[in-house]
């Protein structure tokens, strides 16, 4: 059964808006876990715009499920991951001026470099995932880095403006899931997924984990994070038509 991991970056976004102490993503993570989250995800960005080092350190001690760290493939982040020991790292491309992660990581031609970067993390029993577009060449390259997982970038699907574009993006992702599994990779999905556009994926086999933040946090404003997590969990587990 697929797992729902909740990205709590936006709890920190709200806190950083006033540079104060609340809301605390540590408490957010706890609420998400009480709502059935199978894991908590944070993205420690180079510019520290939302999640801070202290958040990751405390979450490592308080998360009862799994802690996944999204990060750029930089020496600084590698050192932090090795020190803190998240259950999984997900390598993402990072640009300073983007509003959120805008596209998948390029793995083509970087297989050796990524393998070297991931090796010490894998040795320390930290699982590795690469956030990539549903492009067969990227998937093949990702399979040659030592990463056990890919996270397919669903942002283009989420942003598709016409039914035809939506179908084309959905088909790419479904083909990507099948191809990655053929290559022995486990497949996660994430970016831009909400309570409606996630439904087609809940009907297909092969997804290990969903990484969802913005839509759950948006709904949490009205119903609370515990309830918002529970509702999304029911959908990804296929309990809702
Ligand atoms: N996966 C990755 C790699 C991301 O960078 C993000 C955004 O932080 C997400 C998933 C979650 O995306 P969203 O907040 O749109 O659900």
């Amino acid at each position: 059964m697929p797992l729902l991991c909740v990205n709590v970056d936006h709890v920190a976004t709200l806190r950083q808006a006033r540079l104060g102490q609340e809301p605390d993503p540590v408490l957010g993570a706890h609420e998400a876990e009480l709502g059935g989250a199978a894991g908590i995800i944070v993205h420690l960005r180079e510019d520290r715009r939302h999640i801070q080092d202290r958040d990751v350190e405390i979450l490592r001690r308080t998360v009862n499920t799994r802690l996944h760290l999204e990060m750029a493939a930089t020496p600084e982040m590698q050192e932090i991951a090795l020190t803190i020991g998240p259950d999984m790292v997900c390598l993402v491309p990072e640009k300073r001026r983007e509003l959120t992660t805008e596209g998948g990581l390029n793995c083509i031609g970087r297989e050796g470099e990524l393998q070297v970067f991931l090796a010490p993390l894998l040795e320390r029993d930290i699982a590795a995932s690469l956030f990539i577009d549903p492009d067969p060449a990227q998937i093949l390259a990702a399979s040659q880095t030592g990463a056990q997982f890919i996270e397919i970038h669903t942002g283009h699907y989420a942003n598709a403006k016409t039914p035809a574009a939506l179908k084309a993006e959905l088909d790419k992702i479904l083909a990507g899931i099948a191809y990655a599994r053929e290559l022995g990779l486990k497949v996660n999905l994430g970016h831009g997924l909400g309570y409606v556009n996630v439904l087609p994926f809940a009907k297909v086999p092969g997804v290990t984990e969903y990484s969802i933040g913005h839509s759950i946090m948006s709904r949490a404003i009205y119903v609370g994070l515990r309830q918002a997590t529970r509702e999304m969990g029911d959908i990804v587990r296929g309990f809702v038509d």
Side-chain angles (χ1 to χ4, degrees), residues 7 9 43 70 92 100-101 131 151 190-193 211-214:
N7 179 314
D9 291 353
H43 183 175
E70 285 177 12
V92 298
T100 179
T101 316
F131 181 62
E151 179 178 325
H191 215 284
L193 293 176
S211 164
I212 306 184
H214 189 87

Side-chain angles (χ1 to χ4, degrees), residues 63-110:
V63 163
N64 293 300
T65 53
R66 298 173 59 78
L67 178 64
H68 294 179
L69 180 64
E70 285 177 12
M71 59 182 222
T74 63
E76 182 202 13
M77 289 300 153
Q78 189 194 47
E79 197 181 312
I80 290 173
L82 287 170
T83 305
I84 289 180
D87 296 286
M88 180 157 86
V89 295
C90 178
L91 299 189
V92 298
E94 217 175 88
K95 295 190 207 116
R96 274 197 180 249
R97 301 186 66 177
E98 67 191 353
L99 288 179
T100 179
T101 316
E102 279 170 359
L105 188 75
N106 176 35
C107 301
I108 300 168
R110 299 181 61 206

